[in-house]
């Protein structure tokens, strides 16, 4: 049976993971929102799960920051085989590291139209955008927006991983792609991508 919501749902005490478990094997749409969400604007994030179920995430307010918060929530719930669909907008993830789980794909509306931005900076060489094995990103601007001189470790992936970037723009005041590790191989395939950063386009300190 299809599950669809057209207004604010009421799932008291249930998490996104619980909802996914309850509805596993069904097809349709589930809307997930926080208390007080303004439904005068549409969901800014959709996950198309490998099961066929769709989950819409509507931010608490129509702002870059709230869209970023919703994106972080969606990423924490995504699993291998899921596709995350973004609108033409900016998703400001604040100072959070943007971790994209293995096997997940992200689709924007264009590298000059959909932006994901973060000020995350790590003293332990952790990437601002961490792409696990099997990730693909399409038509998005990945932006390291910290402009106070603190170094951000760009876009990267862990040992023994393969990731794909299609029509992606990488911007920031530090490095674009940053790789650091002691073992294994990393395959990062870029197709029609642009890197516009203050320092290196690609930095490998392995």
């Amino acid at each position: 049976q299809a599950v669809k919501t057209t207004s604010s749902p009421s799932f008291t005490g249930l998490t996104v993971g619980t909802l996914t478990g309850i509805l596993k094997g069904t097809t349709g749409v589930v809307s997930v929102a926080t208390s007080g969400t303004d439904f005068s604007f549409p969901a800014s994030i959709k996950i198309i799960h490998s099961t066929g179920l769709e989950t819409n995430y509507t931010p608490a307010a129509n702002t870059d920051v709230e869209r970023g918060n919703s994106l972080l929530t969606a990423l924490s719930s995504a699993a291998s085989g899921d596709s995350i669909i973004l609108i033409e907008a900016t998703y400001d993830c604040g100072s959070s590291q943007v971790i994209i789980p293995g096997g997940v794909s992200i689709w924007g509306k264009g590298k000059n139209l959909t932006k994901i931005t973060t000020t995350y900076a790590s003293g332990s060489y952790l990437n601002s955008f961490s792409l696990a094995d099997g990730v693909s990103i399409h038509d998005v601007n990945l932006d390291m927006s910290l402009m106070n001189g603190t170094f951000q470790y760009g876009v990267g992936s862990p040992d023994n991983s393969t990731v794909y970037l299609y029509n992606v723009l990488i911007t920031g005041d530090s490095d674009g792609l940053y790789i650091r590790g002691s073992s294994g191989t990393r395959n990062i395939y870029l197709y029609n991508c642009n890197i516009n950063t203050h320092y290196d386009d690609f930095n490998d300190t392995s």
Side-chain angles (χ1 to χ4, degrees):
Q1 180 179 358
V3 178
K4 297 185 179 180
T5 59
T6 56
S7 60
S8 180
S10 177
F11 297 122
T12 304
L14 296 182
T15 65
V16 175
T18 304
L19 286 171
T20 302
I22 292 172
L23 297 168
K24 185 176 182 180
T26 68
T27 58
V29 179
V30 175
S31 292
V32 178
T34 57
S35 176
T37 295
D38 179 1
F39 276 84
S40 62
F41 53 91
S44 62
I45 302 166
K46 174 186 289 186
I47 297 183
I48 302 176
H49 299 282
S50 59
T51 60
L53 179 69
E54 296 181 7
T55 306
N56 291 330
Y57 291 80
T58 303
N62 192 17
T63 65
D64 295 349
V65 170
E66 290 300 338
R67 279 189 292 271
N69 290 337
S70 292
L71 176 57
L72 292 171
T73 299
L75 286 170
S76 69
S77 302
S80 181
D82 290 350
S83 296
I84 299 177
I85 313 300
L86 307 179
I87 64 171
E88 179 181 333
T90 295
Y91 297 78
D92 184 350
C93 296
S95 60
S96 296
Q97 183 186 26
V98 180
I99 301 174
I100 304 174
V104 169
S105 61
I106 294 181
W107 300 77
K109 294 295 185 181
K111 60 187 173 184
N112 295 310
L113 299 175
T114 301
K115 177 189 286 188
I116 305 172
T117 184
T118 177
T119 61
Y120 178 82
S122 166
S124 303
Y125 305 104
L126 297 177
N127 295 113
S128 297
F129 291 91
S130 179
L131 284 51
D133 182 47
V135 162
S136 66
I137 301 179
H138 310 250
D139 301 295
V140 170
N141 175 196
L142 301 177
D143 178 58
M144 283 73 72
S145 54
L146 192 59
M147 305 296 287
N148 64 0
T150 302
F151 195 83
Q152 291 182 269
Y153 292 95
V155 179
S157 58
D159 286 337
N160 299 310
S161 61
T162 299
V163 300
Y164 304 87
L165 305 180
Y166 300 89
N167 198 39
V168 169
L169 170 64
I170 299 174
T171 54
D173 198 41
S174 300
D175 287 343
L177 298 171
Y178 187 92
I179 301 300
R180 183 182 177 90
S182 57
S183 63
T185 59
R186 296 174 176 86
N187 300 302
I188 302 178
Y189 295 94
L190 291 84
Y191 302 89
N192 192 32
C193 294
N194 303 94
I195 301 177
N196 183 12
T197 51
H198 183 72
Y199 292 110
D200 299 322
D201 290 345
F202 174 70
N203 190 339
D204 182 357
T205 61
S206 300

